[in-house]
Amino acid sequence: MLEIQAIQKPASTTNGHVVSDPVFCMIPASKDLDTLAGLYKKELEAAAFKGAETIYFPSLSCSSQPLLFRAISQIYRTILDFGDVGDTSVKKVCIVCEDDDIRNTYMVVWNFYYAGTKNARMNDGRWD
């Protein structure tokens, strides 16, 4: 099963497939979230083709909280659908967050909409 994490930006380099294209930091118009999903799917497929086990995507940020929530939800759905397709080398997808507020937003979306159980929550101690 594919693991998804929201993590703080690491101080050192990471092992795995690092997505650095700035297009992954921008949220398109709310009507265009399918394009965002397509970008993520393409990058997931490219990393799997290379045999990567871990992928690091940069986090999104946006002043519109509702749009950010929809975009993050679309990203999670795309990642989960990719993991459900079948055999892939990718075991973990990390969203690298620039600050704790953004990380918390990613955790909120995951915990409210995707974590089926308490144990499945992204939890750094603030959720219990």
Side-chain angles (χ1 to χ4, degrees), residues 39-81:
L39 289 170
Y40 274 79
K41 182 178 179 186
K42 185 177 177 181
E43 196 66 34
L44 288 161
E45 290 169 346
F49 181 76
K50 293 177 183 176
E53 291 186 12
T54 304
I55 303 173
Y56 296 91
F57 283 102
S59 63
L60 297 171
S61 62
C62 178
S63 59
S64 168
Q65 199 72 358
L67 180 55
L68 181 58
F69 269 55
R70 286 195 312 270
I72 292 171
S73 184
Q74 182 75 33
I75 290 165
Y76 283 150
R77 176 56 30 221
T78 301
I79 294 167
L80 291 169
D81 288 349

Side-chain angles (χ1 to χ4, degrees), residues 7 14-20 54-58 93-96:
I7 62 172
T14 54
N15 293 329
H17 181 82
V18 178
V19 178
S20 58
T54 304
I55 303 173
Y56 296 91
F57 283 102
V93 175
C94 297
I95 309 295
V96 181

Side-chain angles (χ1 to χ4, degrees), residues 5-12 14 56-57 59 94-105 107 124 126:
Q5 294 180 348
I7 62 172
Q8 284 293 130
K9 186 173 182 173
S12 62
T14 54
Y56 296 91
F57 283 102
S59 63
C94 297
I95 309 295
V96 181
C97 303
E98 291 293 324
D99 61 47
D100 191 57
D101 288 339
I102 295 297
R103 181 171 178 245
N104 189 62
T105 302
M107 290 181 0
D124 61 357
R126 58 180 120 184

